[in-house]
Amino acid sequence: MLHEAMVRRLYRRSLAEGQITVPAVPGMIDEYVQLCANLCATLGVPYTPEQSIQLRKVLEGELAKAFKASQRSDIAISFQLPFGTGLNYQVKAEWRTVEADYDNWVATRPPPLFGSEPDARVVALAREAADPATFRVLDVGAGTGRNALALARLGHPVDAVEMAPKFADVMRSEAEREELGVRVIQSDVFTAVEGVHDEYQLMLLSEVVPDFRTTHELRGLFELAADCLAPGGRLVFNTFLARPGYTPDNAARELGQQCNTMIFTRDEVTGAAAQLPLELIADDSAYEYEKAHLPEGAWPPTGWFEGWASGLDVFDVPRDESPIELRWLVYQKSG
C-alpha cells in the first residue's frame, strides 16, 4: 500500500505533453474514447465516467466535421500533463483536399508514383481497336499519364482529364516532350466534357473510383459514360467490391475512404447502372489480372499495390481472408 502511494506521488510529479493524430472515422468513435482512456491510464491520471462522456461529445463533433470536409482528414488530440493530477487536452479536426494530397505526393515521393507500366486491362481493351487513330480514349483522373501516354504511343487520340495541378503538369510536360496526341485538361470531368456526346470508344478510370464517397457519384460516372461513349464503346474502371456474404458497415466504408479504398457492394454497382444503355461484359480481379498480364518484371506495379488491391489497407488480415478486393469492371454501350 505504501509503495502504491509513492507511485501516485511519482506520477503527480511527472510532466508530459504530446499529440496523437489519427484518421477521422466517425463510426469508430469508441476506439478514440478508449485511446484517450489508455493515455490517461499510462500517465496515471484519473479518468472518470463524466470525463469520458464529455470527451466523447467533443470527439463526435470534431470527427463529423473532419470527415464531412474531406476523406483525407485527421483528428489531432493534443494533451498536456502539468505538475499535478489533471490532464489538459484539445481535440482538433484537420483536413486536406484529395487534389492537395496528390500534389504532395509529387513533391515528396519518388516517381513513378503509380508504376512504370500502363494497366494491362486498359491496354488489352485498347488493342482490340482495328485502327487506333479512330479509337478515341477518355482517361478520367489520368494522374501523371501512366495510361494516357502509353495509349497515345500506340496511336490513340487521348483526352486526359486530371484535377490535381501537379499531376496535370507532369503529364503535359511528358506529352509535349514526346509530341504525343494527348490533350491534357486540368478540370473536373463533368466540366471538361460538358456537351460531349458519342465521341469516345473507350472511357477509363484507373484507381479513381476508390476515391468516391457515395453511390450518387457512381451513378454520375455511369451517366457520363452513357453520354460520352459512342455505340459499342467501353467503360472500364476498377473499384473495391465486397465479397459474397460480407456487407460493409459505416465504419468500414469510412475507414476505406481514408485509405483510397471506398467499398461498394455488387447490388450498389448494379443499381447505379440501372436503366442506362450499359452492359457489364467483364468482371476480373485486378490483382490476378495485372499479375498475369503485366510485362515480365513489372509486377507488382508499386510496393503498395498488392496490399492495397487486396483490401489490406483497411483490414489487417491475411490476403485470402480480406472481405473486399479491387475488381476491373468493363461495360459496353449498346445501340
Side-chain angles (χ1 to χ4, degrees):
M1 291 178 60
L2 290 176
H3 181 77
E4 291 175 0
M6 291 193 313
V7 168
R8 290 195 295 272
R9 282 299 180 191
L10 176 68
Y11 277 126
R12 288 176 191 173
R13 296 183 66 86
S14 64
L15 304 173
E17 63 179 345
Q19 177 173 299
I20 302 172
T21 302
V22 286
V25 183
M28 300 182 76
I29 178 66
D30 290 342
E31 303 305 320
Y32 298 88
V33 174
Q34 186 60 51
L35 178 67
C36 293
N38 293 342
L39 177 63
C40 286
T42 299
L43 297 175
V45 178
Y47 187 63
T48 67
E50 293 75 19
Q51 290 172 321
S52 177
I53 292 171
Q54 177 61 28
L55 177 60
R56 175 182 287 270
K57 183 178 179 180
V58 173
L59 282 167
E60 284 178 341
E62 293 301 301
L63 283 167
K65 181 168 64 175
F67 190 74
K68 182 180 180 180
S70 173
Q71 67 267 50
R72 302 291 193 275
S73 54
D74 298 316
I75 289 295
I77 305 171
S78 304
F79 62 90
Q80 183 181 45
L81 179 66
F83 191 85
T85 59
L87 181 69
N88 302 323
Y89 65 86
Q90 180 181 28
V91 180
K92 182 181 178 182
E94 300 176 344
W95 62 83
R96 58 207 174 277
T97 65
V98 174
E99 293 76 33
D101 194 45
Y102 283 140
D103 279 352
N104 184 60
W105 283 29
V106 174
T108 60
R109 299 188 182 190
L113 297 176
F114 301 100
S116 59
E117 295 290 330
D119 292 309
R121 193 69 187 94
V122 171
V123 172
L125 290 170
R127 289 192 182 277
E128 294 179 8
D131 180 7
T134 62
F135 192 91
R136 294 191 63 195
V137 178
L138 176 63
D139 187 353
V140 180
T144 56
R146 181 171 55 91
N147 286 309
L149 298 172
L151 296 180
R153 293 183 189 112
L154 294 175
H156 298 278
V158 180
D159 286 346
V161 181
E162 174 54 54
M163 289 187 65
K166 290 187 179 178
F167 278 9
D169 289 344
V170 171
M171 178 168 41
R172 187 179 294 111
S173 175
E174 186 64 23
E176 291 174 354
R177 187 181 68 82
E178 296 188 40
E179 298 182 345
L180 295 173
V182 178
R183 182 167 66 119
V184 179
I185 308 169
Q186 186 190 323
S187 168
D188 72 272
V189 68
F190 295 99
T191 301
V193 299
E194 187 175 1
V196 173
H197 297 286
D198 301 340
E199 290 196 15
Y200 297 100
Q201 282 67 48
L202 179 65
M203 175 177 168
L204 71 99
L205 295 90
S206 177
E207 301 177 13
V208 172
V209 177
D211 268 328
F212 282 9
R213 306 195 72 180
T214 66
T215 54
H216 180 73
E217 291 173 283
L218 197 58
R219 176 66 179 186
L221 162 61
F222 284 119
E223 291 176 344
L224 186 68
D227 284 341
C228 291
L229 288 173
R234 271 85 175 277
L235 163 68
V236 59
F237 65 92
N238 48 20
T239 186
F240 283 92
L241 294 181
R243 294 184 188 273
Y246 172 67
T247 301
D249 59 13
N250 287 340
R253 291 183 192 267
E254 291 165 359
L255 182 58
Q257 290 179 48
Q258 292 281 13
C259 303
N260 311 75
T261 310
M262 176 57 178
I263 307 166
F264 292 110
T265 66
R266 290 188 178 276
D267 285 345
E268 287 171 334
V269 175
T270 299
Q275 300 180 336
L276 291 173
L278 297 168
E279 177 188 1
L280 180 65
I281 61 171
D283 179 349
D284 302 288
S285 162
Y287 181 101
E288 299 296 347
Y289 191 98
E290 297 301 310
K291 186 176 183 180
H293 294 90
L294 279 173
E296 185 176 355
W299 176 264
T302 65
W304 48 262
F305 184 85
E306 289 180 281
W308 174 71
S310 303
L312 306 190
D313 283 12
V314 180
F315 300 98
D316 185 13
V317 296
R319 179 174 174 269
D320 59 358
E321 295 179 15
S322 175
I324 64 174
E325 68 167 337
L326 189 69
R327 306 283 301 184
W328 278 120
L329 302 182
V330 182
Y331 289 79
Q332 183 165 311
K333 182 177 176 180
S334 61

